[in-house]
Amino acid sequence: MKTRAFLTLVLLLAACAPSLRDDATSRRMIAETTLPPMKLFAPITPQPQPIANRDLVADFLDLSFEMESGKQLPVLTRFEGPISLRVTGAPPATLARDLRLLLDRLQREAGIAITVTQNPDAQITIEAVSRRTLQKVLPQAACFVVPNVSSLSEFRSLRRSPKTDWALLTTRTRVTVVVPNDASPQEVRDCLHEEVAQALGPLNDLYRLPNSVFNDDNVHTILTDFDMLILRATYAPELTSGMGREDVAAKLPAIFARINPNSAAPARAQSARTPIPFTQAIQTALGPGTGLANRQTAADRAVQIATQAGWNDTRRGLAHYTRGRILQVTDPRAAPGEFRLADRFYAISNQTRLHRAFVASQLASYALAAGEPARARALVTPYIPLAKTAQNAALLATLQLLRAEALRAEGRVPQADALRLDSLGWARYGFGADWAVQGKLREIATLRAQTPPS
């Protein structure tokens, strides 16, 4: 099986640790808030970024011939011929629209012939179940994809069978994606993007990738231009299921020259492989079911590994960001320093601006708590359009609410109220249930320092 780690919104949940204010006025303001209708993103207009074809070849091979565990996959596998997809279970109301938009992109951008059907013999089944049901099967998964079954019940009966081992496949004929039906609309959509993409193509995740959902940092929540190129190459006519790594490697330069002809980007410096202990450290630090002391140890270990390896890419930024998140609880005064280090490493590349948006939300919360609303506003404002372009409603709402709170602290109440109202529609998509939206409002409202800056 292939799972999406239970880290979907971990970069935003409890993002605002330095809580200084919880007065009656704030509680009354939040309690009296009437939530507006949910906002939805428009269809994406592709805006491809330059990607060096040499990098695409290396990334394709590592994504397609390895698992996250480090296990090697002997051959390339994919679906052969047109692909049909059906939805079963009890899908939430937003799933149909988000799935339609995803399939439209896969058809247009990746050139994959994939259509929806009611036929029980569909190649891909998306089954929507409660999180409780899903996590009875895989406790640490937000969603997952498994081969050679057409339902969750069938997977239960074959869970330890060779049939559900990706490494034993020679071609793909049936795959089931299991998603939650009681998570936020954004989390369900994010699961659709990652798990359907992995049902179709790569099974690996690489922490070194700055612009991909095939990265367990979960910064990118919808398929990127990079992901579409990888999927388009997977279904190129020159390739077929059963080809070995060397044969695929020989075909890829011509494939990417054809599908990515205008690449003017310089090739990146060759990245060292990510050791399994780093992956395990990040997952332990940010995943569920781990005590705080073990989280702290794991975060420290991730930073140690990244530092000793001399990384200057997204992995070094993620390590410091992760330690900052843990320090928010164990040593709040030390946390901003880790976030600033994360930002320093993310700033090395122009492909990690979205990563920096998450860091900005953390640093802005500390600025608000310190009575520096102008600084908080300056930190988050540049990233609001980027969050919208990335279609990350949870991040967008968080940045808008932080900016609104800064404006309120500066006495610019009408502007603050208008921005806050705009954020709530996105918050309903990003965080889901009314109580979750109210909780995010309360979390950010408690940040503003009791005494205005002089």
Side-chain angles (χ1 to χ4, degrees):
M1 77 207 74
K2 180 71 183 68
T3 67
R4 177 179 175 85
F6 193 70
L7 310 178
T8 309
L9 294 179
V10 75
L11 299 182
L12 286 169
L13 291 175
C16 308
S19 176
L20 296 182
R21 189 177 66 102
D22 190 16
D23 56 41
T25 301
S26 294
R27 292 196 300 271
R28 185 173 62 252
M29 177 184 70
I30 293 166
E32 293 174 354
T33 298
T34 300
L35 297 180
M38 181 187 299
K39 289 190 174 184
L40 299 172
F41 292 105
I44 287 178
T45 301
Q47 297 177 319
Q49 302 299 312
I51 306 174
N53 286 338
R54 191 185 80 176
D55 294 339
L56 286 168
V57 170
D59 293 338
F60 183 99
L61 293 172
D62 287 347
L63 285 168
S64 302
F65 285 92
E66 295 179 25
M67 301 287 287
E68 280 183 271
S69 63
K71 188 175 186 178
Q72 300 294 304
L73 296 172
V75 297
L76 177 75
T77 62
R78 68 179 192 183
F79 291 100
E80 301 297 336
I83 303 164
S84 59
L85 177 151
R86 65 171 182 155
V87 178
T88 64
T94 56
L95 185 145
R97 179 181 186 271
D98 284 335
L99 178 60
R100 185 179 72 250
L101 292 175
L102 170 59
L103 297 185
D104 180 63
R105 287 191 63 202
L106 290 170
Q107 293 161 354
R108 288 186 295 107
E109 298 177 50
I112 296 175
I114 183 169
T115 56
V116 175
T117 183
Q118 301 294 325
N119 194 322
D121 294 328
Q123 282 92 351
I124 298 176
T125 296
I126 297 173
E127 185 169 355
V129 300
S130 70
R131 280 180 289 193
R132 182 177 180 182
T133 299
L134 187 154
Q135 288 169 6
K136 281 182 178 179
V137 180
L138 292 177
Q140 297 192 14
C143 42
F144 63 90
V145 57
V146 62
N148 286 332
V149 299
S150 295
S151 68
L152 180 59
S153 62
E154 187 179 1
F155 170 56
R156 284 196 189 101
S157 66
L158 295 173
R159 183 172 178 179
R160 291 171 177 81
S161 164
K163 287 190 67 174
T164 59
D165 187 343
W166 288 103
L168 298 180
L169 293 186
T170 56
T171 190
R172 301 187 197 187
T173 56
R174 286 191 302 154
V175 170
T176 289
V177 171
V178 182
V179 302
N181 60 15
D182 51 359
S184 73
Q186 177 169 317
E187 186 174 343
V188 176
R189 181 208 63 186
D190 297 352
C191 280
L192 288 176
H193 276 247
E194 181 168 347
E195 302 305 339
V196 170
Q198 295 194 304
L200 293 166
L203 298 169
N204 199 4
D205 284 301
L206 299 173
Y207 277 109
R208 72 171 187 252
L209 298 178
N211 182 33
S212 176
V213 301
F214 301 121
N215 185 332
D216 264 343
D217 66 7
N218 289 344
V219 167
H220 289 277
T221 56
I222 60 172
L223 291 171
T224 66
D225 55 295
F226 169 91
D227 300 329
M228 289 298 179
L229 281 171
I230 294 295
L231 288 169
R232 181 176 282 274
T234 301
Y235 285 85
E238 296 94 327
L239 303 182
T240 187
S241 292
M243 292 178 67
R245 184 176 181 126
E246 289 186 5
D247 291 337
V248 171
K251 299 284 187 181
L252 287 176
I255 291 172
F256 283 117
R258 186 183 75 250
I259 67 177
N260 190 41
N262 298 318
S263 175
R268 64 171 182 259
Q270 188 172 4
S271 298
R273 297 179 67 84
T274 304
I276 296 300
F278 178 83
T279 299
Q280 293 171 336
I282 294 294
Q283 292 177 345
T284 299
L286 297 179
T290 304
L292 186 57
N294 288 336
R295 290 179 188 274
Q296 180 72 70
T297 300
D300 293 343
R301 178 64 176 148
V303 170
Q304 181 186 42
I305 293 170
T307 303
Q308 290 178 346
W311 294 337
N312 290 310
D313 56 19
T314 57
R315 295 171 294 183
R316 183 71 178 272
L318 177 62
H320 287 291
Y321 187 92
T322 300
R323 185 152 72 176
R325 287 301 315 278
I326 307 304
L327 287 172
Q328 284 180 316
V329 180
T330 61
D331 187 2
R333 291 181 181 274
E338 290 298 318
F339 292 134
R340 285 190 287 269
L341 279 170
D343 190 61
R344 191 182 96 192
F345 287 102
Y346 284 143
I348 291 173
S349 170
N350 61 9
Q351 291 191 311
T352 49
R353 289 192 67 234
L354 191 59
H355 302 67
R356 298 186 72 191
F358 285 94
V359 178
S361 72
Q362 302 288 355
L363 292 174
S365 70
Y366 281 92
L368 277 173
E372 301 175 354
R375 181 167 167 266
R377 183 165 46 82
L379 281 164
V380 300
T381 299
Y383 296 109
I384 290 174
L386 178 64
K388 191 170 186 178
T389 299
Q391 297 204 350
N392 190 325
L395 175 61
L396 175 58
T398 298
L399 296 173
Q400 287 182 315
L401 286 168
L402 286 165
R403 187 171 189 270
E405 197 62 33
L407 289 168
R408 180 174 292 276
E410 294 175 310
R412 299 159 67 179
V413 176
Q415 287 177 266
D417 288 347
L419 182 59
R420 185 170 173 274
L421 180 62
D422 184 66
S423 74
L424 295 179
W426 296 118
R428 296 196 74 174
Y429 185 84
F431 295 106
D434 288 0
W435 63 262
V437 176
Q438 297 282 6
K440 177 55 64 173
L441 284 171
R442 189 175 303 108
E443 182 184 329
I444 293 178
T446 61
L447 285 171
R448 186 155 45 94
Q450 292 175 332
T451 305
S454 58

